[in-house]
Amino acid sequence: MPSATLEVIDKGSASPAHPAPLLFVHGAWHAAWCWDEHFLDFFAGQGYRALAPSLRGHGASPATKPLRALSIADYVDDVAQVAASLPTPPVVIGHSMGGFVVQKFLESRDIPAAVLMASAPPRGYLGSGMRWLRRHPWHFMKLSASGRSLAYVSTPELARERFFSPHTPEALVASCAARLQEESARSGVDGLLALPRPRRVRAPLLVLGAGHDGAVTAAEVRATAKAYGTEPEFFSDLGHNMMLEPGWQSVAERIHTWLGTRGL
């Protein structure tokens, strides 16, 4: 079983058709709950074992140092800890910052496959930071000075701008905004400096993007796919939080189909 030091939501069981567990890694300001809304039950129902940890300092997972000091390497260690607790190497699915963490995890681990959903690109967070600076210069200056960013993503208006499409129901946006939590300032710096090294990655990757993504551009999704020798696939009607948006099932079904073609 996964270590008790991390919150891990664990559903379903491996089956002969789907022997590899699926390990879902959340992005910044989120926790395991974002996968538990739809994806874990969907994949458990398809015959997979599906797990979602909350990275340390997120959800109900404790941290041994202040949140602001947590690094991408700490988050990679969390993924490795849960993966090592499983009977077979998992397929790892990462969203947003979680996709960045997954890319770092893959540099030194052999796993059957991985999926990147609206992932931060291998070239890091610089593009995202510059867009934030241009869009909300006062927010960017305050968060840069304080190391605290939650206030600038957690209103319904700001959450919609970054995480959701224009047509997402207001109640869903407000519910998500209320569950967001502070993110590590150190992890943001690592997103500029501790960049992934795609040439070290051997696992096959599925790279997915969203048409109404307020955090990751289509050009960044294409650059990510190119770095890993594959072609990106886009869901034109969805926002950044592809696992929560109405239409999430089309994303889940595409992942399920892709895994099936690989015997997973």
Side-chain angles (χ1 to χ4, degrees):
M1 293 295 293
S3 170
T5 60
L6 293 176
E7 174 188 34
V8 180
I9 304 174
D10 186 349
K11 294 188 173 182
S13 301
S15 63
H18 304 300
L22 306 184
L23 177 54
F24 293 89
V25 184
H26 66 81
W29 304 291
H30 290 65
W33 61 263
C34 69
W35 299 110
D36 195 33
E37 290 293 302
H38 304 296
F39 266 46
L40 297 187
D41 286 331
F42 172 89
F43 284 100
Q46 298 292 338
Y48 298 89
R49 183 180 178 188
L51 309 93
S54 290
L55 301 172
R56 66 185 73 181
H58 298 72
S61 293
T64 57
K65 56 186 174 182
L67 174 69
R68 65 179 180 273
L70 297 177
S71 66
I72 292 293
D74 290 327
Y75 297 159
V76 172
D77 287 346
D78 292 342
V79 175
Q81 171 188 310
V82 180
S85 75
L86 300 174
T88 58
V91 173
V92 184
I93 299 101
H95 173 253
S96 195
M97 180 194 76
F100 193 90
V101 171
V102 167
Q103 291 173 65
K104 295 296 293 181
F105 171 80
L106 293 174
E107 290 177 0
S108 58
R109 280 87 175 181
D110 286 320
I111 64 169
V115 181
L116 302 179
M117 293 171 51
S119 174
R123 63 194 183 205
Y125 295 178
L126 180 60
S128 176
M130 294 303 296
R131 290 191 296 275
W132 202 338
L133 175 60
R134 290 193 297 268
R135 191 177 300 157
H136 297 292
W138 183 232
H139 289 180
F140 187 84
M141 286 188 287
K142 288 194 289 185
L143 71 88
S144 297
S146 68
R148 300 181 67 84
S149 56
L150 178 62
Y152 311 114
V153 298
S154 61
T155 69
E157 296 77 17
L158 292 170
R160 181 183 294 279
E161 179 183 290
R162 190 170 189 86
F163 300 122
F164 293 100
S165 65
H167 51 264
T168 304
E170 188 63 32
L172 193 159
V173 176
S175 174
C176 177
R179 300 184 77 171
L180 299 177
Q181 63 185 99
E182 191 59 71
E183 187 51 68
S184 163
R186 166 67 186 275
S187 72
V189 174
D190 287 348
L192 298 172
L193 302 176
L195 301 182
R197 291 167 284 191
R199 291 184 181 180
R200 296 191 175 191
V201 175
R202 294 175 293 277
L205 267 70
L206 175 65
V207 176
L208 305 178
H212 291 287
D213 195 329
V216 178
T217 66
E220 287 171 333
V221 175
R222 287 192 287 268
T224 298
K226 183 176 180 181
Y228 293 102
T230 189
E231 293 294 326
E233 300 182 29
F234 289 91
F235 293 81
S236 60
D237 292 337
L238 300 188
H240 183 68
N241 275 5
M242 302 169 72
M243 77 293 281
L244 294 172
E245 284 268 77
W248 65 267
Q249 191 163 359
S250 61
V251 182
E253 288 174 345
R254 177 62 190 122
I255 295 171
H256 171 51
T257 299
W258 184 77
L259 293 173
T261 64
R262 310 199 71 84
L264 298 170

